Amino acid sequence: MGFKKKDILDMESLSVDEIKYILNMTDKMKEISGRSIKKVPTLRGKTVVLFFYEPSTRTRTSFDIAAKRLSADSISLSGSSSSIVKGETLVDTAKNIEAMNADVIVLRHSCAGAASMLAQRLKVSVINAGDGMHAHPTQALLDIMTVVEKKGRIDGLKIAIIGDIAHSRVARSDCVGFTKMGANVVVAGPPTMIPRGIEVIGASVAKNIDEAIKDADVIMALRLQTERQGSFLFSTLREYSKAFGITKKRFESAKEDVFIMHPGPVNRGLEIAPEVADSLHSVILDQVENGVAVRMALLLLTAGGVWNVDSD
Ligand code: CP
């Protein structure tokens, strides 16, 4: 199959075949990053605009690196440095970028649905780099890639996602993506941070964190999304860490071959103990490495580049 999608907005709108197609392309892109000269001419003459209304280290940098490795021109725009601060709307700003003949807009925004709204209004491709509490599809794709790479498969694995599920776009996209690929996803966290109806997107809710961790092949810890929590949802950070953190003791109760994941940024000693984050079982930096390859694949597929092994 070819890849025909104009936009990458969420995991719900990607079929299993499309996910496999992206992963296959990601493998090819990863090989480029291992070369001494990490650059191919595939997207020469294409323009990628990185429009980030929220802070980001991994997503923004990896999209920038991905564009440059494919020889696209990438331009970064932040909410505070754009004419948004003078009252221009998101749509008007994006239409102006489109008028400059950009090929792809990568958008991170605090409002759920922002990327979908732009995708409907623009001819240019839109990639959602995280919209509010809704979706983070490129993170889900790199997480799927990492699990497949480390475990050799994803079908039938138990994946435990622990922490602030309710406010996490990563949790939502991962639940949808992992279950689409055949994994058994179990979530655990404080009752105030487990969204009602999470089962609809394929996850089951464990009675407690120890039940979620038991027999898990992969444990993913999530950061407390305090910027999206309206009020304190737990008494103290210390209490939260004790009750819901991936402590050394909990890690030692997990399967011998468990892998530890975290989408970042990591708050050491809060949702995950430093010894766990730095253990040989941790694949947190592998996730980051795969993020570049996944984003190269997505830029290539949406910007209409043709992958030619011989010429590249
Ligand atoms: N995982 C993730 O989205 O990290 P950033 O916020 O640093 O991009």
Side-chain angles (χ1 to χ4, degrees), residues 52 55-60 108 136 139 169-170 263-265 295:
F52 278 65
S56 167
T57 296
R58 282 145 289 271
T59 313
R60 183 178 185 147
R108 171 167 287 190
H136 197 348
Q139 179 72 43
R169 53 195 174 207
V170 174
R295 286 158 183 144

Side-chain angles (χ1 to χ4, degrees), residues 189-216:
T192 49
M193 295 182 202
I194 302 290
R196 221 178 285 168
I198 183 89
E199 295 85 357
V200 174
I201 56 170
S204 57
V205 182
K207 278 203 294 288
N208 53 51
I209 184 169
D210 298 313
E211 182 187 277
I213 284 175
K214 190 173 182 294
D215 299 328

Side-chain angles (χ1 to χ4, degrees), residues 50-52 60 76-86 93:
L50 308 175
F51 202 178
F52 278 65
R60 183 178 185 147
S76 276
L77 200 58
S78 69
S80 61
S81 68
S82 73
S83 287
I84 294 276
V85 291
K86 300 180 205 162
T93 304

Side-chain angles (χ1 to χ4, degrees), residues 39 43-50 63-64 66-76 102-104 299:
K39 204 171 181 83
L43 290 186
R44 194 167 48 199
K46 302 282 185 182
T47 305
V48 176
V49 178
L50 308 175
F63 263 115
D64 201 6
K68 288 180 166 75
R69 289 208 174 145
L70 292 170
S71 300
D73 296 310
S74 64
I75 290 102
S76 276
D103 297 282
V104 183
L299 290 177

